[in-house]
Amino acid sequence: MNEERREFIKKTSIGFLAGIGVSSGLFLNFLMEKTDASLWSDKTVAGTIRWGMLIDMRKCIDGCQKCVDACRLAHDVPDFGNSSRQIEWLKKSPYSEVFSTSGRDFISTERTKKSIPSLCNHCADPSCVRACPTQALFKRFDGIVALDYHRCTGCRACMASCPYDAISFNWSDPRPAIKTLNDSYPTREKGVVEKCNFCSERLLKGKLPACVDACPEKTLTFGDLNDPKSAIRQLLEKNQTMQRKPELGTLPSVFYII
Amino acid sequence: MIENALKGNRPYWIWMTLLLLLIVSGISAYSQQLRLGLSVTGLGDALWGLSIMQFTFMASAAASTLLVVLPLSLHDYKPFGKIVVIAQFLGASASAIALLSLCIDMGKPQLILDLLRYATPYSPYSWAFFLLIGYFLINLVTGWATLGAERKGVPAPTWILPLIYLSIPWAITLPVVTGFVYASFPANHWIASLLALRLLASAYASGTALLLLITFIMKRAAGFDVGREVTDKLVMLLTYAATFTFVLVGVECFASLCGKGLLLQYKNLMVSLTWSSLLLGIASLAVFHVPAWKNSFRHLTAASLGVVLSIFAEKGAALLYLSKGGVVAYTPTMTELSMVLGVLALGTLFLTILLKAVLAVKRAG
Ligand code: SF4
Ligand code: SF4
């Protein structure tokens, strides 16, 4: 585990250095991530990083909202309650919604009774990036599908093209709806979209994503999919796992053990 | 030529006042949206609504200029020379309406120029925006140059010829790319391939219907007659395009609504809209096929209007699938309606001014 931890820190610090590299010369705080999409290749080349997540539903406790709350707090995600304009980076929903195209006939209730965490899949071939007319959405060098809030025009083409309903739009000013304000991440404004960023701001500091840290059951495993020795790859090797809507060819980086 | 817009009879001024009132109400609704965000619309579960419907409709209707320009420039069908400027101005105004409709739908309209600055070759939305601007300019410039030459009684300048030829593939691409804006959704990949084609067919039907309506209005209001031959030809083109469109819409309704059992959800506004659209379309189409009605001014007007409304409503059908899958509940708000009507009125005002100039030239000639 120590070995792995060291490896993890080493990798995240590559991101840190890259972050400084591009932000120099720009009027950006380097905690805000770089925005020039051309600097990153979207090919998954061996030896580069592709962050991914594995969600082990055998461990997840039904009714627990710790990961969801941690995410909301970490990113100042506004809470519009149970409305069609709710903003969600990470949410828990029933099997029938998360795996809406998977078979449901005669399936064990063991599988379907729990609500399942879902988030942006940071697809290797993301349809949202292709739909965005301004490249506000782009793929980073480490596989994270990132979003530049300043470039987003609020056209919502990305939302329509994401098959996982992972993107939310700020229909009104989000700031009044933020429950607990946290100044480690910039708040957004009305008229832009937002979604999970795999906690890239925490990765910069060598920390794990907030949801992963918050889960008391270690349901969520985060790591480099391109590294055969990483914990996530070991788990993928030993277990039968699922991706959401694999038939669409978006190559999700989030995996599930149901 | 523009100054003619300041001269007109009573009905003309009533018309202009009406348009101005709609524009003012649109502006006030829009300022509310600027203040409160898109929460003033009925959107939420549905991502895109009325204004994107108008964008799709107008972007494709604009393309119908092709049906006049092509026979005239490639097949040398002379009678269309009479209406080519009208068709080009219709194309320009419809593109302007489509662009404005996109703009009022944006969360951050102040970034609209970023759509050009960061134009993205793999994004259909980006293409649609670029093509619309181009199409607006091409039609405005060629239309204006043709009209100016006509006023002086000289043949149209030769430099517009390449532009006119360019407008032909442009007009075919425009509805197809607009269709791709919808077709690229993985959530509804099962309806994608038909969509671009359907839009292309409906583009020519709705655009020709609009053109026909405009010539009728010009005849009524200003005594400018395009002549029997042109009207007949337009009706013929309209009949072909509309027949094809409604066959495609029918296939779609059957495949996607019946196939998914959504047929029965009459409570949903959008589903009923699709069905009424199809019925209205078929009814209007029937008029064009009845020989006795085909020559009646009143029947033709009603039927063209029917085609226009039906195709507009049918755009809602494409939006039906947009969100999380299934049918989305969406009812536009008054604010939204005022904005969309305001944009429509602005484009119509623009067209009216242009057509006034056309009339002045035709009368003098
Ligand atoms: S899950 Fe959706 S938002 Fe996330 S990368 Fe894939 S397509 Fe884009
Ligand atoms: S809403 Fe923003 S991020 Fe999404 S496609 Fe439009 S510009 Fe890109």
Side-chain angles (χ1 to χ4, degrees), chain A residues 128 131-134 136-137 147 151-159 193:
Chain A
C128 58
C132 179
T134 56
L137 273 161
L147 168 63
R151 200 188 267 201
C152 171
T153 65
C155 70
R156 314 190 288 298
C158 54
M159 295 173 76
V193 297

Side-chain angles (χ1 to χ4, degrees), chain A residues 3-146:
Chain A
E3 187 57 52
E4 205 191 298
R5 186 88 200 170
R6 203 169 312 134
E7 186 62 8
F8 179 80
I9 291 175
K10 204 172 89 203
K11 276 173 183 158
T12 49
S13 44
I14 302 177
F16 181 70
L17 288 177
I20 298 179
V22 242
S23 50
S24 56
L26 293 179
F27 292 103
L28 283 175
N29 179 338
F30 66 73
L31 275 180
M32 286 181 180
E33 293 133 60
K34 55 181 175 180
T35 53
D36 185 355
S38 66
L39 290 176
W40 287 303
S41 150
D42 54 4
K43 290 191 199 72
T44 40
V45 188
T48 61
I49 309 171
R50 173 175 167 196
W51 294 123
M53 190 182 277
L54 180 83
I55 300 175
D56 187 348
M57 285 311 292
R58 294 171 303 190
K59 297 182 184 164
C60 184
I61 311 171
D62 207 27
C64 167
Q65 288 282 329
K66 289 214 169 80
C67 55
V68 177
D69 295 342
C71 174
R72 236 174 233 295
L73 179 69
H75 303 107
D76 285 329
V77 181
D79 192 348
F80 288 99
N82 200 10
S83 85
S84 64
R85 293 176 180 160
Q86 172 67 312
I87 295 185
E88 278 154 329
W89 288 28
L90 169 64
K91 63 183 168 207
K92 285 181 95 175
S93 14
Y95 180 86
S96 57
E97 273 175 35
V98 180
F99 293 98
S100 56
T101 54
S102 305
R104 257 168 280 163
D105 286 347
F106 310 115
I107 193 172
S108 109
T109 50
E110 203 47 41
R111 266 195 189 196
T112 50
K113 73 169 190 246
K114 278 190 193 170
S115 59
I116 305 175
S118 67
L119 63 162
C120 169
N121 286 296
H122 297 278
C123 307
D125 191 0
S127 49
C128 58
V129 170
R130 242 175 295 141
C132 179
T134 56
Q135 293 157 32
L137 273 161
F138 55 96
K139 237 179 123 47
R140 303 193 343 165
F141 66 102
D142 54 0
I144 295 182
V145 174

Side-chain angles (χ1 to χ4, degrees), chain B:
Chain B
M1 294 184 276
I2 281 292
E3 68 284 356
N4 292 295
L6 294 175
K7 286 178 252 156
N9 51 10
R10 235 172 93 90
Y12 174 73
W13 285 114
I14 295 177
W15 170 245
M16 291 302 252
T17 316
L18 184 77
L19 290 180
L20 283 173
L21 282 179
L22 282 176
I23 294 171
V24 169
S25 102
I27 291 176
S28 96
Y30 189 58
S31 66
Q32 199 184 342
Q33 174 174 302
L34 280 184
R35 212 155 20 88
L36 301 173
L38 268 83
S39 55
V40 297
T41 65
L43 301 169
D45 274 336
L47 296 174
W48 283 340
L50 261 192
S51 55
I52 293 288
M53 267 163 87
Q54 178 159 275
F55 151 75
T56 320
F57 178 83
M58 286 298 171
S60 43
S64 69
T65 310
L66 172 83
L67 290 188
V68 175
V69 169
L70 190 101
L72 180 68
S73 60
L74 289 189
H75 304 139
D76 207 25
Y77 179 71
K78 286 282 185 299
F80 272 176
K82 255 189 190 157
I83 54 165
V84 69
V85 179
I86 302 178
Q88 281 165 335
F89 285 165
L90 174 64
S93 313
S95 320
I97 297 176
L99 278 170
L100 283 176
S101 305
L102 260 197
C103 183
I104 59 167
D105 180 68
M106 285 168 67
K108 284 176 69 179
Q110 62 270 40
L111 297 185
I112 190 146
L113 288 180
D114 280 9
L115 286 174
L116 286 182
R117 186 163 154 215
Y118 302 122
T120 307
Y122 39 77
S123 160
Y125 190 99
S126 189
W127 274 105
F129 185 76
F130 170 74
L131 287 176
L132 273 174
I133 292 187
Y135 201 66
F136 171 74
L137 291 176
I138 291 179
N139 276 306
L140 194 62
V141 168
T142 51
W144 198 252
T146 314
L147 193 64
E150 209 171 299
R151 188 171 69 136
K152 294 195 201 100
V154 295
T158 43
W159 59 262
I160 65 166
L161 218 59
L163 277 183
I164 289 191
Y165 288 135
L166 181 65
S167 82
I168 294 171
W170 208 289
I172 298 172
T173 322
L174 189 57
V176 170
V177 166
T178 312
F180 282 169
V181 173
Y182 300 91
S184 59
F185 303 152
N188 42 292
H189 57 299
W190 42 286
I191 61 159
S193 46
L194 253 172
L195 225 126
L197 194 60
R198 204 177 92 197
L199 225 71
L200 194 63
S202 77
Y204 299 134
S206 57
T208 322
L210 278 178
L211 195 58
L212 203 59
L213 282 174
I214 290 172
T215 61
F216 286 166
I217 293 172
M218 288 175 82
K219 186 172 171 187
R220 260 291 163 86
F224 170 69
D225 195 357
V226 294
R228 189 75 249 170
E229 194 184 347
V230 171
T231 310
D232 280 349
K233 195 79 175 181
L234 282 179
V235 168
M236 190 192 82
L237 290 172
L238 173 53
T239 313
Y240 288 162
T243 309
F244 193 47
T245 305
F246 293 120
V247 168
L248 287 178
V249 176
V251 168
E252 181 109 333
C253 275
F254 183 77
S256 52
L257 295 180
C258 303
K260 288 216 122 191
L262 299 176
L263 180 62
L264 299 173
Q265 300 190 7
Y266 269 107
K267 266 177 272 151
N268 190 296
L269 177 78
M270 283 306 193
V271 177
S272 18
L273 208 62
T274 316
W275 282 108
S276 9
S277 145
L278 188 59
L279 292 181
L280 181 65
I282 292 172
S284 319
L285 202 51
V287 175
F288 294 119
H289 287 286
V290 176
W293 290 348
K294 216 161 65 180
N295 294 321
S296 138
F297 175 72
R298 213 171 306 138
H299 280 103
L300 281 184
T301 312
S304 311
L305 212 56
V307 169
V308 170
L309 286 179
S310 154
I311 290 177
F312 185 81
E314 173 253 339
K315 296 293 169 281
L319 296 169
L320 211 73
Y321 311 95
L322 276 190
S323 206
K324 300 141 204 185
V327 183
V328 170
Y330 162 63
T331 315
T333 58
M334 276 315 282
T335 321
E336 210 176 346
L337 195 64
S338 315
M339 280 189 294
V340 168
L341 283 179
V343 164
L344 184 63
L346 195 63
T348 314
L349 187 86
F350 183 59
L351 181 62
T352 312
I353 294 174
L354 289 175
L355 290 182
K356 266 301 240 194
V358 174
L359 275 176
V361 170
K362 302 266 178 199
R363 282 219 191 91

